[in-house]
Coordinates of all heavy atoms in Angstrom, one line a residue:
M1136 N 0.8 -1.2 0.0 CA 0.0 0.0 0.0 C 0.9 1.2 0.0 O 1.8 1.4 0.8 CB -0.9 0.0 1.2 CG -1.8 1.2 1.3 SD -3.1 1.0 2.5 CE -2.2 1.2 4.0
A1137 N 0.6 2.1 -0.9 CA 1.4 3.4 -1.0 C 1.0 4.4 0.1 O -0.1 4.4 0.5 CB 1.2 4.0 -2.4
I1138 N 2.0 5.1 0.5 CA 1.8 6.1 1.5 C 1.5 7.4 0.8 O 2.3 7.8 -0.1 CB 3.0 6.2 2.5 CG1 3.1 4.9 3.3 CG2 2.8 7.4 3.4 CD1 4.3 4.9 4.2
T1139 N 0.5 8.1 1.2 CA 0.1 9.4 0.6 C 0.3 10.5 1.6 O -0.1 10.4 2.7 CB -1.4 9.3 0.2 OG1 -1.6 8.2 -0.7 CG2 -1.8 10.6 -0.6
T1140 N 0.9 11.5 1.1 CA 1.2 12.7 2.0 C -0.1 13.5 2.1 O -1.0 13.4 1.3 CB 2.3 13.6 1.5 OG1 1.9 14.1 0.3 CG2 3.6 12.8 1.3
R1141 N -0.2 14.3 3.2 CA -1.3 15.2 3.3 C -1.5 16.1 2.1 O -2.6 16.4 1.7 CB -1.1 16.1 4.6 CG -1.8 15.5 5.7 CD -1.8 16.5 6.9 NE -2.1 15.7 8.1 CZ -1.5 15.8 9.2 NH1 -0.6 16.7 9.4 NH2 -1.9 15.0 10.2
A1142 N -0.4 16.7 1.6 CA -0.4 17.6 0.5 C -1.0 16.9 -0.8 O -1.8 17.5 -1.5 CB 1.0 18.1 0.2
E1143 N -0.6 15.6 -1.0 CA -1.1 14.9 -2.1 C -2.6 14.7 -2.0 O -3.4 14.8 -2.9 CB -0.4 13.6 -2.3 CG 1.0 13.7 -2.7 CD 1.8 12.4 -2.6 OE1 1.4 11.5 -1.8 OE2 2.7 12.2 -3.4
R1144 N -3.0 14.3 -0.8 CA -4.4 14.0 -0.5 C -5.3 15.3 -0.7 O -6.3 15.3 -1.3 CB -4.7 13.5 0.9 CG -6.1 13.0 1.1 CD -6.3 12.3 2.4 NE -5.1 11.8 3.0 CZ -4.7 12.1 4.2 NH1 -5.3 12.9 5.0 NH2 -3.6 11.5 4.7
K1145 N -4.7 16.4 -0.2 CA -5.4 17.7 -0.3 C -5.6 18.1 -1.8 O -6.6 18.5 -2.2 CB -4.7 18.8 0.5 CG -5.4 20.1 0.4 CD -4.9 21.1 1.4 CE -5.7 22.4 1.3 NZ -5.6 23.2 2.4
R1146 N -4.5 17.9 -2.5 CA -4.5 18.3 -4.0 C -5.6 17.4 -4.7 O -6.3 17.9 -5.5 CB -3.1 18.0 -4.5 CG -2.8 18.8 -5.8 CD -1.4 18.7 -6.2 NE -0.5 18.7 -5.1 CZ 0.4 17.7 -4.8 NH1 0.6 16.7 -5.7 NH2 1.2 17.8 -3.8
R1147 N -5.6 16.1 -4.4 CA -6.6 15.2 -5.0 C -8.0 15.6 -4.6 O -8.9 15.6 -5.5 CB -6.2 13.8 -4.5 CG -7.1 12.7 -5.2 CD -6.7 11.3 -4.8 NE -7.0 11.1 -3.4 CZ -6.3 10.5 -2.5 NH1 -5.1 10.0 -2.8 NH2 -6.7 10.3 -1.3
R1148 N -8.2 15.9 -3.3 CA -9.5 16.3 -2.9 C -10.0 17.6 -3.5 O -11.2 17.8 -3.9 CB -9.6 16.4 -1.4 CG -9.6 15.0 -0.8 CD -9.7 15.0 0.7 NE -9.9 13.7 1.2 CZ -10.0 13.4 2.5 NH1 -10.0 14.4 3.4 NH2 -10.2 12.2 2.9
L1149 N -9.1 18.6 -3.7 CA -9.4 19.8 -4.4 C -9.8 19.6 -5.8 O -10.7 20.2 -6.4 CB -8.3 20.8 -4.2 CG -8.1 21.4 -2.8 CD1 -6.9 22.3 -2.8 CD2 -9.4 22.1 -2.3
D1150 N -9.1 18.6 -6.4 CA -9.4 18.2 -7.8 C -10.8 17.6 -7.9 O -11.6 18.0 -8.8 CB -8.4 17.2 -8.3 CG -8.5 16.9 -9.8 OD1 -9.1 17.7 -10.5 OD2 -8.1 15.8 -10.2
V1151 N -11.2 16.8 -6.9 CA -12.5 16.2 -6.8 C -13.6 17.3 -6.7 O -14.6 17.3 -7.3 CB -12.6 15.2 -5.7 CG1 -14.1 14.7 -5.5 CG2 -11.7 14.0 -6.0
L1152 N -13.3 18.2 -5.8 CA -14.2 19.4 -5.5 C -14.4 20.1 -6.8 O -15.6 20.5 -7.1 CB -13.6 20.3 -4.4 CG -14.5 21.4 -4.0 CD1 -15.8 20.9 -3.4 CD2 -13.7 22.2 -2.9
E1153 N -13.4 20.4 -7.6 CA -13.5 21.1 -8.8 C -14.4 20.3 -9.8 O -15.3 20.9 -10.5 CB -12.2 21.4 -9.4 CG -12.2 22.0 -10.8 CD -10.9 22.0 -11.5 OE1 -9.8 21.8 -10.9 OE2 -10.9 22.3 -12.7
K1154 N -14.1 19.0 -9.9 CA -14.9 18.1 -10.8 C -16.4 18.2 -10.4 O -17.3 18.3 -11.3 CB -14.4 16.7 -10.8 CG -13.0 16.5 -11.2 CD -12.8 16.7 -12.7 CE -11.4 16.3 -13.1 NZ -10.9 17.2 -14.1
L1155 N -16.7 18.0 -9.2 CA -18.1 18.0 -8.8 C -18.8 19.4 -9.0 O -19.9 19.5 -9.3 CB -18.2 17.6 -7.3 CG -17.9 16.1 -7.0 CD1 -18.0 15.9 -5.5 CD2 -18.8 15.2 -7.7
N1156 N -18.0 20.4 -8.7 CA -18.5 21.8 -8.9 C -18.8 22.1 -10.3 O -19.6 22.9 -10.6 CB -17.5 22.8 -8.3 CG -18.1 24.0 -7.9 OD1 -19.3 24.1 -7.7 ND2 -17.3 25.1 -7.8
T1157 N -18.1 21.5 -11.3 CA -18.3 21.8 -12.7 C -19.3 20.8 -13.3 O -19.6 20.9 -14.5 CB -17.0 21.7 -13.5 OG1 -16.4 20.4 -13.3 CG2 -16.1 22.8 -13.1
G1158 N -20.0 19.9 -12.5 CA -21.1 19.1 -13.0 C -20.8 17.7 -13.2 O -21.6 16.9 -13.7
W1159 N -19.6 17.2 -12.8 CA -19.3 15.8 -13.0 C -20.2 15.0 -12.0 O -20.5 15.5 -10.9 CB -17.8 15.5 -12.6 CG -16.9 15.8 -13.7 CD1 -16.8 16.9 -14.5 CD2 -15.8 15.0 -14.1 NE1 -15.8 16.8 -15.4 CE2 -15.1 15.6 -15.1 CE3 -15.3 13.7 -13.7 CZ2 -14.0 15.1 -15.8 CZ3 -14.2 13.2 -14.3 CH2 -13.6 13.9 -15.4
G1160 N -20.6 13.8 -12.4 CA -21.3 13.0 -11.5 C -20.4 12.2 -10.5 O -19.2 12.2 -10.7
V1161 N -21.0 11.7 -9.5 CA -20.2 11.0 -8.5 C -19.5 9.7 -9.1 O -18.3 9.5 -8.8 CB -21.1 10.6 -7.3 CG1 -20.4 9.7 -6.3 CG2 -21.6 11.8 -6.6
G1162 N -20.2 9.0 -9.8 CA -19.7 7.8 -10.4 C -18.5 8.1 -11.4 O -17.5 7.4 -11.4
D1163 N -18.7 9.1 -12.2 CA -17.6 9.5 -13.1 C -16.4 10.0 -12.4 O -15.3 9.7 -12.7 CB -18.1 10.6 -14.0 CG -19.2 10.2 -15.0 OD1 -19.3 9.0 -15.3 OD2 -20.0 11.1 -15.4
T1164 N -16.6 10.7 -11.3 CA -15.5 11.2 -10.5 C -14.8 10.1 -9.8 O -13.5 10.1 -9.8 CB -16.1 12.2 -9.5 OG1 -16.8 13.2 -10.1 CG2 -14.9 12.9 -8.7
I1165 N -15.5 9.1 -9.3 CA -14.8 8.0 -8.6 C -14.0 7.2 -9.6 O -12.9 6.8 -9.4 CB -15.9 7.1 -7.9 CG1 -16.4 7.8 -6.7 CG2 -15.3 5.8 -7.5 CD1 -17.6 7.1 -6.0
S1166 N -14.6 6.9 -10.8 CA -13.8 6.2 -11.8 C -12.6 7.0 -12.3 O -11.5 6.4 -12.5 CB -14.7 6.0 -13.1 OG -15.8 5.2 -12.7
Y1167 N -12.7 8.3 -12.4 CA -11.6 9.2 -12.7 C -10.5 9.0 -11.7 O -9.3 8.9 -12.0 CB -12.1 10.6 -12.8 CG -11.0 11.7 -12.7 CD1 -10.2 11.9 -13.8 CD2 -10.8 12.4 -11.6 CE1 -9.2 12.9 -13.7 CE2 -9.8 13.4 -11.5 CZ -9.0 13.6 -12.6 OH -8.0 14.6 -12.5
L1168 N -10.8 9.1 -10.4 CA -9.8 9.0 -9.3 C -9.2 7.6 -9.3 O -7.9 7.5 -9.2 CB -10.5 9.2 -8.0 CG -10.9 10.6 -7.6 CD1 -11.8 10.6 -6.3 CD2 -9.7 11.5 -7.5
V1169 N -9.9 6.6 -9.5 CA -9.3 5.2 -9.5 C -8.4 5.1 -10.6 O -7.3 4.5 -10.5 CB -10.5 4.2 -9.5 CG1 -9.9 2.8 -9.8 CG2 -11.3 4.2 -8.2
K1170 N -8.8 5.6 -11.8 CA -7.9 5.4 -13.0 C -6.7 6.3 -13.0 O -5.6 5.9 -13.2 CB -8.8 5.7 -14.2 CG -8.0 5.3 -15.5 CD -9.0 5.5 -16.7 CE -8.7 6.9 -17.3 NZ -9.4 7.3 -18.4
D1171 N -6.9 7.6 -12.7 CA -5.8 8.6 -12.9 C -4.9 8.7 -11.6 O -3.7 8.9 -11.8 CB -6.4 10.0 -13.2 CG -6.9 10.1 -14.6 OD1 -6.9 9.1 -15.3 OD2 -7.2 11.2 -15.0
Y1172 N -5.5 8.5 -10.5 CA -4.7 8.6 -9.3 C -4.3 7.3 -8.7 O -3.5 7.2 -7.8 CB -5.4 9.4 -8.2 CG -5.5 10.9 -8.4 CD1 -6.6 11.5 -9.0 CD2 -4.5 11.7 -8.0 CE1 -6.6 12.8 -9.2 CE2 -4.5 13.1 -8.2 CZ -5.6 13.6 -8.8 OH -5.6 15.0 -9.1
K1173 N -4.8 6.2 -9.3 CA -4.5 4.8 -9.0 C -4.7 4.6 -7.5 O -3.8 4.1 -6.8 CB -3.1 4.5 -9.4 CG -2.9 4.7 -10.9 CD -1.7 3.9 -11.4 CE -1.5 4.1 -12.9 NZ -2.3 4.9 -13.7
I1174 N -5.9 4.9 -7.0 CA -6.3 4.7 -5.6 C -7.5 3.7 -5.6 O -8.0 3.4 -6.7 CB -6.7 6.0 -4.9 CG1 -7.9 6.7 -5.6 CG2 -5.5 6.9 -4.8 CD1 -8.4 7.9 -4.8
T1175 N -7.8 3.2 -4.4 CA -8.9 2.3 -4.3 C -10.2 3.0 -4.4 O -10.3 4.2 -4.2 CB -8.8 1.5 -3.0 OG1 -9.0 2.5 -1.9 CG2 -7.5 0.8 -2.8
R1176 N -11.3 2.2 -4.7 CA -12.6 2.8 -4.8 C -13.0 3.4 -3.4 O -13.7 4.4 -3.3 CB -13.6 1.8 -5.2 CG -13.4 1.5 -6.7 CD -14.6 0.7 -7.2 NE -15.8 1.4 -7.4 CZ -16.1 2.3 -8.4 NH1 -15.1 2.5 -9.3 NH2 -17.2 2.9 -8.5
R1177 N -12.5 2.7 -2.3 CA -12.9 3.2 -1.0 C -12.3 4.6 -0.7 O -12.9 5.5 -0.2 CB -12.3 2.2 0.0 CG -12.7 2.6 1.4 CD -12.2 1.5 2.4 NE -12.6 1.9 3.8 CZ -12.1 1.5 4.8 NH1 -11.1 0.6 4.8 NH2 -12.5 1.9 6.0
S1178 N -11.0 4.8 -1.1 CA -10.4 6.1 -1.0 C -11.0 7.1 -1.8 O -11.2 8.2 -1.4 CB -8.9 6.0 -1.3 OG -8.2 5.2 -0.4
A1179 N -11.4 6.7 -3.0 CA -12.1 7.6 -3.9 C -13.5 8.0 -3.3 O -13.8 9.2 -3.4 CB -12.3 7.0 -5.3
N1180 N -14.2 7.1 -2.7 CA -15.5 7.4 -2.1 C -15.3 8.4 -1.0 O -16.1 9.3 -0.8 CB -16.1 6.1 -1.6 CG -16.9 5.4 -2.7 OD1 -17.4 6.0 -3.6 ND2 -16.9 4.1 -2.6
M1181 N -14.2 8.2 -0.2 CA -14.0 9.1 0.9 C -13.6 10.5 0.4 O -14.1 11.5 1.0 CB -12.8 8.6 1.8 CG -13.2 7.4 2.7 SD -12.0 7.0 3.9 CE -10.7 6.3 2.9
D1182 N -12.9 10.6 -0.7 CA -12.6 11.9 -1.3 C -13.8 12.6 -1.8 O -14.0 13.8 -1.6 CB -11.5 11.8 -2.4 CG -10.2 11.4 -1.8 OD1 -9.9 11.6 -0.6 OD2 -9.3 11.0 -2.7
V1183 N -14.7 11.8 -2.4 CA -16.0 12.4 -3.0 C -16.9 12.8 -1.8 O -17.5 13.9 -1.9 CB -16.6 11.4 -3.9 CG1 -18.1 11.8 -4.2 CG2 -15.8 11.2 -5.2
A1184 N -16.9 12.0 -0.8 CA -17.7 12.4 0.4 C -17.2 13.7 1.0 O -18.0 14.6 1.4 CB -17.7 11.3 1.4
W1185 N -15.9 13.9 1.1 CA -15.3 15.1 1.6 C -15.7 16.3 0.7 O -16.1 17.3 1.2 CB -13.8 15.0 1.7 CG -13.1 16.3 2.1 CD1 -12.9 16.7 3.4 CD2 -12.7 17.3 1.3 NE1 -12.3 17.9 3.4 CE2 -12.1 18.3 2.1 CE3 -12.6 17.5 -0.1 CZ2 -11.6 19.5 1.6 CZ3 -12.1 18.7 -0.6 CH2 -11.6 19.7 0.2
A1186 N -15.6 16.1 -0.6 CA -15.9 17.2 -1.5 C -17.4 17.6 -1.4 O -17.8 18.7 -1.5 CB -15.5 16.8 -2.9
S1187 N -18.2 16.5 -1.3 CA -19.7 16.8 -1.2 C -20.0 17.6 0.0 O -20.8 18.5 0.0 CB -20.4 15.5 -1.2 OG -20.3 14.8 -2.4
T1188 N -19.3 17.3 1.1 CA -19.5 18.0 2.4 C -19.1 19.5 2.2 O -19.8 20.4 2.7 CB -18.7 17.4 3.5 OG1 -19.1 16.0 3.7 CG2 -18.9 18.1 4.8
E1189 N -18.0 19.7 1.5 CA -17.5 21.0 1.3 C -18.5 21.8 0.4 O -18.7 23.0 0.6 CB -16.1 21.0 0.6 CG -15.0 20.6 1.5 CD -14.9 21.4 2.7 OE1 -14.8 22.7 2.6 OE2 -14.8 20.9 3.9
L1190 N -19.1 21.2 -0.6 CA -20.1 21.8 -1.4 C -21.3 22.2 -0.6 O -21.9 23.3 -0.8 CB -20.5 20.9 -2.6 CG -19.6 20.8 -3.8 CD1 -20.1 19.8 -4.7 CD2 -19.4 22.1 -4.4
C1191 N -21.7 21.3 0.3 CA -22.9 21.6 1.1 C -22.7 22.7 2.1 O -23.7 23.5 2.4 CB -23.3 20.3 1.9 SG -24.0 19.0 0.9
K1192 N -21.5 23.0 2.5 CA -21.2 24.1 3.4 C -21.5 25.4 2.7 O -21.8 26.4 3.4 CB -19.7 24.0 3.8 CG -19.4 23.0 4.8 CD -18.0 23.0 5.2 CE -17.6 21.9 6.1 NZ -16.1 21.9 6.4
N1193 N -21.4 25.4 1.4 CA -21.6 26.7 0.7 C -23.0 26.9 0.1 O -23.2 27.9 -0.6 CB -20.5 26.8 -0.5 CG -19.1 26.9 0.0 OD1 -18.9 27.5 1.0 ND2 -18.2 26.2 -0.6
F1194 N -23.9 26.0 0.4 CA -25.3 26.1 -0.1 C -25.9 27.4 0.3 O -26.7 28.0 -0.4 CB -26.1 24.9 0.3 CG -25.9 23.7 -0.5 CD1 -26.3 22.5 -0.1 CD2 -25.3 23.8 -1.8 CE1 -26.2 21.4 -0.9 CE2 -25.1 22.7 -2.5 CZ -25.5 21.4 -2.1
D1195 N -25.7 27.9 1.6 CA -26.4 29.1 2.0 C -25.8 30.3 1.4 O -26.5 31.4 1.3 CB -26.4 29.2 3.5 CG -24.9 29.2 4.1 OD1 -24.0 28.8 3.4 OD2 -24.8 29.6 5.3
K1196 N -24.6 30.2 0.8 CA -24.0 31.4 0.1 C -24.3 31.4 -1.4 O -23.9 32.3 -2.1 CB -22.5 31.4 0.4 CG -22.1 31.4 1.8 CD -20.6 31.3 2.0 CE -20.3 31.1 3.4 NZ -18.9 30.6 3.6
T1197 N -24.9 30.3 -1.9 CA -25.0 30.1 -3.3 C -26.3 30.8 -3.8 O -27.4 30.7 -3.1 CB -25.1 28.6 -3.7 OG1 -23.9 28.0 -3.2 CG2 -25.1 28.4 -5.2
E1198 N -26.3 31.4 -5.0 CA -27.5 32.0 -5.6 C -28.4 30.8 -6.0 O -27.9 29.8 -6.4 CB -27.1 32.8 -6.8 CG -26.3 34.1 -6.4 CD -27.2 35.1 -5.7 OE1 -28.4 35.2 -6.0 OE2 -26.6 35.8 -4.9
N1199 N -29.7 31.1 -5.9 CA -30.7 30.0 -6.3 C -30.6 29.7 -7.8 O -30.7 28.5 -8.1 CB -32.1 30.5 -6.0 CG -32.4 30.5 -4.5 OD1 -31.7 29.9 -3.7 ND2 -33.4 31.3 -4.1
T1200 N -30.3 30.6 -8.6 CA -30.2 30.3 -10.0 C -29.0 29.4 -10.3 O -29.1 28.5 -11.2 CB -30.0 31.6 -10.9 OG1 -29.0 32.4 -10.4 CG2 -31.3 32.4 -10.8
D1201 N -27.9 29.7 -9.6 CA -26.7 28.8 -9.8 C -27.0 27.4 -9.3 O -26.6 26.4 -10.0 CB -25.5 29.3 -9.0 CG -25.0 30.6 -9.6 OD1 -25.2 30.9 -10.8 OD2 -24.3 31.4 -8.8
M1202 N -27.7 27.3 -8.2 CA -28.0 25.9 -7.7 C -29.0 25.2 -8.6 O -28.8 24.0 -8.9 CB -28.7 26.1 -6.3 CG -29.0 24.8 -5.6 SD -27.6 23.7 -5.4 CE -26.7 24.6 -4.2
L1203 N -30.0 25.9 -9.2 CA -30.9 25.3 -10.1 C -30.2 24.8 -11.3 O -30.4 23.7 -11.8 CB -32.0 26.3 -10.5 CG -33.0 25.8 -11.5 CD1 -33.8 24.6 -10.9 CD2 -34.0 27.0 -11.8
A1204 N -29.2 25.6 -11.9 CA -28.5 25.2 -13.0 C -27.7 24.0 -12.8 O -27.6 23.0 -13.6 CB -27.6 26.4 -13.5
W1205 N -27.1 23.9 -11.6 CA -26.3 22.7 -11.2 C -27.2 21.5 -11.1 O -26.8 20.4 -11.6 CB -25.5 23.0 -9.9 CG -24.6 21.9 -9.5 CD1 -23.4 21.6 -10.0 CD2 -24.9 20.8 -8.6 NE1 -22.8 20.5 -9.4 CE2 -23.8 20.0 -8.5 CE3 -26.0 20.5 -7.8 CZ2 -23.7 18.9 -7.7 CZ3 -25.9 19.4 -7.0 CH2 -24.8 18.6 -6.9
L1206 N -28.3 21.6 -10.5 CA -29.2 20.5 -10.3 C -29.7 20.0 -11.7 O -29.8 18.8 -11.9 CB -30.4 20.9 -9.4 CG -30.1 21.0 -7.9 CD1 -31.2 21.6 -7.2 CD2 -29.7 19.6 -7.4
L1207 N -30.1 21.0 -12.6 CA -30.6 20.6 -13.9 C -29.5 19.9 -14.7 O -29.8 18.9 -15.4 CB -31.1 21.8 -14.6 CG -32.4 22.4 -14.1 CD1 -32.7 23.7 -14.8 CD2 -33.5 21.4 -14.2
T1208 N -28.3 20.3 -14.5 CA -27.1 19.6 -15.2 C -27.0 18.2 -14.7 O -26.8 17.2 -15.5 CB -25.8 20.4 -14.9 OG1 -25.9 21.7 -15.4 CG2 -24.7 19.7 -15.6
Q1209 N -27.1 18.0 -13.4 CA -27.1 16.6 -12.9 C -28.2 15.8 -13.4 O -28.0 14.6 -13.7 CB -27.1 16.7 -11.3 CG -25.9 17.3 -10.7 CD -24.6 16.7 -11.1 OE1 -24.5 15.5 -11.1 NE2 -23.6 17.5 -11.4
I1210 N -29.4 16.3 -13.4 CA -30.6 15.6 -13.9 C -30.4 15.2 -15.4 O -30.7 14.1 -15.8 CB -31.9 16.4 -13.7 CG1 -32.2 16.5 -12.2 CG2 -33.0 15.7 -14.4 CD1 -33.2 17.4 -11.8
Q1211 N -29.9 16.1 -16.1 CA -29.6 15.9 -17.6 C -28.6 14.7 -17.8 O -28.8 13.9 -18.6 CB -29.2 17.1 -18.3 CG -28.9 16.9 -19.8 CD -28.4 18.2 -20.4 OE1 -27.9 19.1 -19.7 NE2 -28.4 18.2 -21.7
R1212 N -27.5 14.7 -17.0 CA -26.5 13.7 -17.1 C -27.1 12.3 -16.8 O -26.8 11.3 -17.5 CB -25.4 14.0 -16.1 CG -24.6 15.2 -16.5 CD -23.4 15.3 -15.5 NE -22.5 14.2 -15.7 CZ -21.3 14.4 -16.2 NH1 -20.8 15.6 -16.5 NH2 -20.5 13.3 -16.4
V1213 N -28.0 12.3 -15.7 CA -28.6 11.0 -15.4 C -29.5 10.5 -16.5 O -29.6 9.4 -16.9 CB -29.3 11.1 -14.0 CG1 -30.2 9.9 -13.8 CG2 -28.4 11.3 -12.9
A1214 N -30.3 11.5 -17.1 CA -31.2 11.1 -18.2 C -30.5 10.6 -19.4 O -30.9 9.7 -20.0 CB -32.0 12.4 -18.5
V1215 N -29.3 11.2 -19.7 CA -28.6 10.8 -20.9 C -28.0 9.4 -20.6 O -28.0 8.6 -21.6 CB -27.4 11.8 -21.2 CG1 -26.4 11.2 -22.2 CG2 -28.0 13.1 -21.7
K1216 N -27.5 9.1 -19.4 CA -27.0 7.8 -19.1 C -28.1 6.7 -19.2 O -27.8 5.6 -19.5 CB -26.3 7.8 -17.8 CG -25.0 8.5 -17.8 CD -24.3 8.3 -16.5 CE -22.9 9.0 -16.5 NZ -22.2 8.8 -15.2
S1217 N -29.3 7.1 -18.8 CA -30.3 6.0 -18.8 C -30.9 5.9 -20.1 O -31.2 4.9 -20.6 CB -31.4 6.4 -17.8 OG -32.1 7.6 -18.2

């Protein structure tokens, strides 16, 4: 098992936060982490959970139109996949 430094983990989590913020889905983001960062799905899930928590902290500061656009993007992605 490879040892990951705090700086590497923080960089990876900020990358996840950016991906989720730009409309990537959770499954796509996890697959991206497993493939590009060569980590386990469990570690990828923890990083996505951290990023989701960070996104939720900013909900009260977000404009309703921005939130609506983000939600519609997520719904569209799910519809296209199905």
